[in-house]
Amino acid sequence: MNIILLGPPGAGKGTQARFLCDERDMIQLSTGDMLREAKDSGTEMGKVVADVMARGELVTDEIVIGLIREKLEGDKKGGFIFDGFPRTLAQADALAELLAEEGETLDAVIEMQVDDNALVSRITARSTCGGCGEVYNDNTKPIPADGKCTNCGNTEFKRRADDNEESLKQRLMEYYKKTSPLIGYYYAKGQLASVDGLGEMATVKADIGKVLDA
């Protein structure tokens, strides 16, 4: 099963992707992770990525598609979760063509719906474990009193430099300009389902499961 998780920054896509990887043996294809992995791989594609990044240039859609193609030709396990790609309609078309070439299908696109004001409140209060990436929130899931991550026991936590109201609003504007048109794109294809991205993590996880098992 191959899926896309759609939603603005901070909607919880990464958290839900981890659940899917753990429980359904899926593979998360994060654009950032793939680029970092390729840069250090020494492969021909990796050398291209390293060269582009060394020059401080943006990685092209063609390069990202090439990296995704390499992943699709490897171990598929329980299927793929596309994370951070596509971001634009052109990228969505390119991904559709690639999946067709590889004999793969896109089984679901799940939009994680959020209220912008609630999202800003959530993100400006969040911290992540420096060891495992577990997400905490000052209001809904504070760091334990003993200062240890409940998942891995690590005692170092960090906040993203851009997890502030001004930066988040800029990121939301970028999302609505470039990525939100994908909601209509996939709806027209009959592939879109929506869940409440601001619910409790377990509830969101269950709602996503219902979509995938339908």
Side-chain angles (χ1 to χ4, degrees):
M1 177 172 284
N2 302 315
I3 70 170
I4 294 172
L5 295 179
L6 274 181
K13 300 184 296 296
T15 297
Q16 296 301 324
R18 286 199 298 274
F19 289 147
L20 292 169
C21 291
D22 291 342
E23 298 184 6
R24 295 177 181 250
D25 200 27
M26 299 182 76
I27 300 171
Q28 182 181 7
L29 295 186
S30 163
T31 304
D33 289 345
M34 284 193 296
L35 290 172
R36 286 186 288 272
E37 179 184 324
K39 177 175 173 287
D40 299 329
S41 68
T43 65
E44 289 304 311
M45 182 63 75
K47 292 174 184 176
V48 172
V49 172
D51 184 53
V52 170
M53 295 176 74
R55 295 197 304 269
E57 298 176 0
L58 292 175
V59 176
T60 64
D61 291 352
E62 288 76 14
I63 290 175
V64 177
I65 283 290
L67 294 175
I68 293 174
R69 177 179 282 108
E70 287 184 349
K71 295 293 185 181
L72 293 178
E73 292 173 348
D75 185 359
K76 295 177 174 56
K77 293 190 175 181
F80 297 97
I81 307 162
F82 295 100
D83 176 11
F85 192 92
R87 291 182 186 272
T88 65
L89 293 173
Q91 291 177 355
D93 284 336
L95 179 59
E97 291 176 9
L98 173 60
L99 290 171
E101 290 172 9
E102 297 295 324
E104 294 285 338
T105 58
L106 182 61
D107 299 288
V109 179
I110 300 174
E111 176 201 7
M112 299 180 65
Q113 295 180 326
V114 299
D115 172 84
D116 288 352
N117 290 330
L119 183 66
V120 170
S121 177
R122 173 204 272 186
I123 298 307
T124 53
R126 76 176 177 183
S127 303
T128 56
C129 170
C132 67
E134 185 74 11
V135 179
Y136 292 86
N137 185 285
D138 297 344
N139 303 315
T140 59
K141 185 185 174 183
I143 295 170
D146 62 3
K148 295 181 180 180
C149 173
T150 55
N151 190 48
C152 71
N154 180 69
T155 57
E156 293 183 8
F157 300 86
K158 55 189 178 182
R159 292 187 190 267
R160 280 179 48 161
D162 57 355
D163 275 355
N164 59 74
E165 186 168 349
E166 182 178 349
S167 294
L168 182 57
K169 286 182 176 178
Q170 290 177 351
R171 287 155 61 198
L172 283 171
M173 180 62 71
E174 190 74 3
Y175 170 79
Y176 287 123
K177 284 167 59 178
K178 295 183 177 179
T179 306
S180 64
L182 293 176
I183 294 169
Y185 174 94
Y186 286 115
Y187 176 79
K189 285 175 167 280
Q191 295 174 308
L192 185 76
S194 299
V195 300
D196 178 7
L198 288 178
E200 293 291 330
M201 282 190 292
T203 302
V204 178
K205 172 182 159 187
D207 289 344
I208 290 174
K210 290 175 185 175
V211 172
L212 300 184
D213 293 334

